[in-house]
Amino acid sequence: MAEVQKQAEKPRLISETDMSKYKAAGDIVNEVMKKLVTLCVEEAKIIDLCIEGDKLIEEGTGAVYNKAVKGVKVSKGIAFPTCISVNNAVAHFSPLASDTLASQALAKDDVVKLHIGAHIDGFAAISAETIVVGASEQDPATGRRADVLKAAWHAAEVAMRLMKVGNKNWAVSDAVAQVATAWDCKPVEGMLSCQQSQNVIDGKKRIILNPTEAQRRDTETVTFAEDEVYGVDILVSSGEDGKARIEDSRTSIYQKEGAVTYQLKMKNSRAVFSEMQKKAGPFPINIRVLEDEKRARLGLQEAVSHGLVKPYEVVYTPANTYVAAFHFTIALPPAGPLMITHPPVWYKPELVKSEKELEDGELKGLLAKSLRETKKKKKVETAGASPEAK
């Protein structure tokens, strides 16, 4: 009995209070995503959508957790700036007014990836989903657009079910690749999913998609453990190899590297870095919100070159290919996997019609399972046994 009691008192890595903050951030992200999806119509300007998304997240987080704890205000706000990446743009597209691509607007049949994140007290919920502009049940997405969307969503569903205590990162990497193959697609090369904790969205434990030989060699094999949280980013390309490259888009999102220390030499660099930390803390920031964009770009050069700040570069797969993405935040408490973010707002099978389907029996069996196997189900089975069996 004493041993059982001792096990019950084992300290948790995530408290119930922490989990409540994660879930509150997840609820805010879901509400913002609902609004953004309705705004993604033909001729909507991407820059306007990005600004609106950030505004809605600030409003949502501003409405909760306003009581100071021990005299200290609870930090909250954007955990990842709103990005709207279209067709073969992989991620992180969030233009500034001065950018040449600032006037880009959505068009019918565009494959649009919406990526947003919110945090409460540093506990972040980040989500991404993909829509096709103008698609409906009467006029669904078809062809390669449908293939890449179905591949990405099924890969995300498989990944969710493999995020279990004791499983390894390579099980997720390999399964995502296998699912994508069913629709003649490839995961985007080198894309990372990371462990999360308070004020950290890019922790040490990682999952890599479609790695090169060198990336596979350099990526540590890790085992998922109890009470860990992960942001899982599933990006799938309709291209042949999933390779992506930098093109004309200018980087607008930057983040302080937590493990790097360096004394900046230039006064402007120090001022920009200080403003970044004040406005975003440890989370990524779009330089659109900094006081002077031109000065910010100059000031960031020194910080980036010395690894103090990392850029979230905008990369593209080849022309005439499409990328679909689903990002979810998931916790691994003792009772089993728990989604912090919500299911996609837009995606449903009736909107996406592909001629291909998943045939692999093992993967189909995995998709048929619920995310969390409940103890209640086992009790029902026991209760249903015959008196003779008892």
Side-chain angles (χ1 to χ4, degrees):
M1 284 290 290
E3 191 179 335
V4 171
Q5 192 174 0
K6 198 179 281 184
Q7 283 181 348
E9 291 169 1
K10 178 182 160 187
R12 296 281 308 280
L13 294 178
I14 311 177
S15 68
E16 290 303 318
T17 303
D18 297 344
M19 190 56 71
S20 296
K21 291 171 182 174
Y22 271 124
K23 292 295 287 179
D27 291 344
I28 290 163
V29 164
N30 184 53
E31 289 305 310
V32 174
M33 189 69 84
K34 284 179 184 175
K35 290 173 183 171
L36 281 178
V37 166
T38 63
L39 294 172
C40 285
V41 295
E42 290 179 62
E43 298 184 12
K45 285 180 70 175
I46 290 174
I47 189 171
D48 294 341
L49 295 170
C50 292
I51 291 169
E52 181 67 11
D54 288 352
K55 187 186 88 169
L56 291 169
I57 286 175
E58 293 282 16
E59 288 174 356
T61 55
V64 297
Y65 285 87
N66 287 316
K67 190 175 179 181
V69 179
K70 296 179 182 177
V72 180
K73 282 185 178 180
V74 175
S75 67
K76 52 201 173 143
I78 295 169
F80 206 95
T82 306
C83 298
I84 311 282
S85 306
V86 178
N87 295 330
N88 63 324
V90 175
H92 310 148
F93 186 76
S94 189
L96 311 183
S98 60
D99 291 346
T100 53
L101 296 174
S103 61
Q104 186 177 344
L106 301 183
K108 181 166 170 41
D109 295 329
D110 274 349
V111 176
V112 179
K113 295 161 287 292
L114 300 94
H115 189 177
I116 57 175
H119 78 92
I120 306 289
D121 197 20
F123 297 100
I126 299 174
S127 181
E129 68 172 273
T130 304
I131 73 167
V132 178
V133 177
S136 64
E137 291 185 31
Q138 294 73 35
D139 182 22
T142 58
R144 294 303 279 159
R145 292 176 178 84
D147 290 344
V148 76
L149 251 164
K150 292 202 85 165
W153 174 240
H154 283 78
E157 286 212 289
V158 164
M160 287 172 202
R161 286 157 176 78
L162 291 173
M163 297 300 300
K164 289 191 172 182
V165 172
N167 281 0
K168 290 186 166 50
N169 52 344
W170 293 114
V172 179
S173 303
D174 295 342
V176 167
Q178 196 177 348
V179 172
T181 302
W183 282 272
D184 292 331
C185 293
K186 283 273 188 183
V188 179
E189 183 181 277
M191 293 294 116
L192 292 172
S193 299
C194 302
Q195 185 184 357
Q196 293 184 196
S197 54
Q198 188 177 24
N199 294 318
V200 177
I201 61 168
D202 51 357
K204 289 183 178 178
K205 285 189 174 182
R206 298 182 171 189
I207 302 161
I208 189 167
L209 298 184
N210 190 14
T212 63
E213 284 184 24
Q215 287 169 340
R216 185 172 275 273
R217 188 176 60 245
D218 295 341
T219 301
E220 184 184 350
T221 298
V222 298
T223 303
F224 308 135
E226 194 172 280
D227 275 342
E228 290 179 340
V229 175
Y230 287 86
V232 182
D233 204 6
I234 303 300
L235 296 119
V236 175
S237 166
S238 65
E240 292 179 4
D241 55 14
K243 291 186 183 297
R245 63 187 183 279
I246 296 170
E247 289 187 359
D248 297 334
S249 297
R250 298 175 80 192
T251 301
S252 60
I253 297 171
Y254 295 84
Q255 181 187 6
K256 179 186 180 296
E257 281 281 21
V260 178
T261 54
Y262 173 77
Q263 186 61 47
L264 293 164
K265 304 291 188 290
M266 296 171 65
K267 183 180 177 182
N268 183 45
S269 299
R270 293 195 298 272
V272 171
F273 184 68
S274 175
E275 189 185 0
M276 264 186 74
Q277 284 191 291
K278 188 177 178 182
K279 288 187 172 173
F283 294 101
I285 188 170
N286 190 311
I287 59 174
R288 187 193 301 120
V289 304
L290 299 182
E291 193 177 311
D292 186 321
E293 178 203 316
K294 192 174 180 182
R295 190 188 75 165
R297 284 208 181 276
L298 288 169
L300 281 167
Q301 287 176 10
E302 184 187 0
V304 170
S305 66
H306 290 280
L308 189 61
V309 167
K310 72 172 176 183
Y312 282 85
E313 292 167 331
V314 185
V315 294
Y316 294 81
T317 56
N320 302 315
T321 62
Y322 303 101
V323 174
F326 291 94
H327 185 121
F328 59 90
T329 308
I330 189 169
L332 306 181
L338 179 68
M339 292 294 288
I340 289 167
T341 46
H342 291 242
V345 171
W346 184 87
Y347 182 90
K348 57 182 179 179
E350 294 81 7
L351 295 172
V352 182
K353 295 293 181 186
S354 170
E355 293 177 6
K356 303 177 179 69
E357 285 298 339
L358 188 65
E359 302 293 345
D360 185 277
E362 191 176 339
L363 290 171
K364 285 169 80 172
L366 187 61
L367 286 171
K369 291 181 179 178
S370 59
L371 189 62
R372 178 187 277 199
E373 293 175 20
T374 60
K375 290 177 182 176
K376 189 177 178 184
K377 189 177 178 183
K378 290 179 184 175
K379 284 180 184 175
V380 169
E381 286 171 2
T382 306
S386 65
E388 288 84 358
K390 293 176 185 177

